[in-house]
Amino acid sequence: MIILITGASHTGKTVLAQRLLEKYKYPYLSIDHLKMGLIRSGNINLTPMSDDKELSEYLWPIVREIVKTAIENKQNLIIEGCYIPFDWKKDFSEDYFDDIRYYCLIMSENYIKKHFNDIKIYASVIENRLDDEYCTLENVLKDNTQILELAKKNGASYILIDNEYKIDIDL
């Protein structure tokens, strides 16, 4: 089983991946770790501040082939990150679909406004964010609105976090 977790920044993708690792004992891959490994090793001419579209275009083909390899080897894997495209299915033949679960995490405007301080507090629960200046109420609202629009436009499934942050995925 492959579990893909995506969504806007600060929606809890890494926390969910960690919980699933603990619950199911499936290893997980952070696409941010892959990105930073490629950047720091000098294998790509991108930076952590490069455009998300540009990063996605570079990283997704690598991640896509990791997914295929894991399925072909009958291995379980959780992959989390914001670089998973909404139209990911186009890159796989239908025989892969039974082995892939896709989850896009989106926070509602209501949730963000009521819980923004919590979003900031929990931002470094799993990973140490060295620079989190981007995490402003305006940016979190904008990012989640954009992700929701893209998910709807592409017919992608998503989990809307509205009243409380309670996500539990059963496989």
Side-chain angles (χ1 to χ4, degrees):
M1 176 70 56
I2 305 300
I3 302 166
L4 300 176
I5 304 170
T6 192
S9 181
H10 293 82
T11 54
K13 298 178 296 294
T14 307
V15 171
L16 179 58
Q18 181 68 36
R19 284 186 189 150
L20 292 172
L21 174 146
E22 292 166 4
K23 184 175 182 177
Y24 295 106
K25 309 298 185 234
Y26 292 3
Y28 83 82
L29 169 69
S30 166
I31 301 174
D32 279 339
H33 291 173
L34 176 63
K35 171 185 78 174
M36 291 309 299
L38 290 164
I39 290 169
R40 287 180 167 179
S41 67
N43 284 306
I44 59 174
N45 291 325
L46 299 171
T47 72
M49 302 313 293
S50 292
D51 178 69
D52 280 353
K53 184 176 186 287
E54 190 176 15
L55 285 164
S56 293
E57 288 172 355
Y58 189 88
L59 294 167
W60 175 244
I62 298 166
V63 172
R64 175 191 69 216
E65 298 309 314
I66 290 171
V67 169
K68 289 177 183 178
T69 302
I71 291 171
E72 290 159 2
N73 287 295
K74 300 190 182 337
Q75 295 171 312
N76 300 313
L77 182 61
I78 301 161
I79 300 175
E80 65 87 10
C82 60
Y83 306 107
I84 300 169
F86 293 103
D87 62 350
W88 64 272
K89 284 187 173 183
K90 73 173 178 41
D91 293 324
F92 297 91
S93 58
E94 284 196 33
D95 53 317
Y96 286 101
F97 293 165
D98 286 342
D99 295 306
I100 301 173
R101 300 291 177 272
Y102 170 90
Y103 301 96
C104 180
L105 306 181
I106 302 171
M107 293 176 174
S108 72
E109 179 178 340
N110 173 56
Y111 181 85
I112 295 166
K113 287 181 176 177
K114 284 184 179 178
H115 300 280
F116 183 70
N117 287 335
D118 293 332
I119 293 167
K120 292 285 285 186
I121 289 168
Y122 289 105
S124 292
V125 159
I126 300 293
E127 58 190 347
N128 186 23
R129 295 177 184 262
L130 299 177
D131 179 10
D132 207 24
E133 288 182 27
Y134 180 79
C135 185
T136 64
L137 177 62
E138 295 74 24
N139 285 337
V140 173
L141 285 166
K142 183 183 90 178
D143 289 351
N144 279 271
T145 298
Q146 182 181 25
I147 296 295
L148 180 58
E149 289 171 2
L150 288 168
K152 286 180 177 179
K153 177 183 174 185
N154 288 281
S157 60
Y158 58 89
I159 297 171
L160 186 64
I161 301 155
D162 191 29
N163 294 318
E164 63 179 330
Y165 195 100
K166 191 172 185 176
I167 299 172
D168 190 26
I169 295 173
D170 292 317
L171 304 179

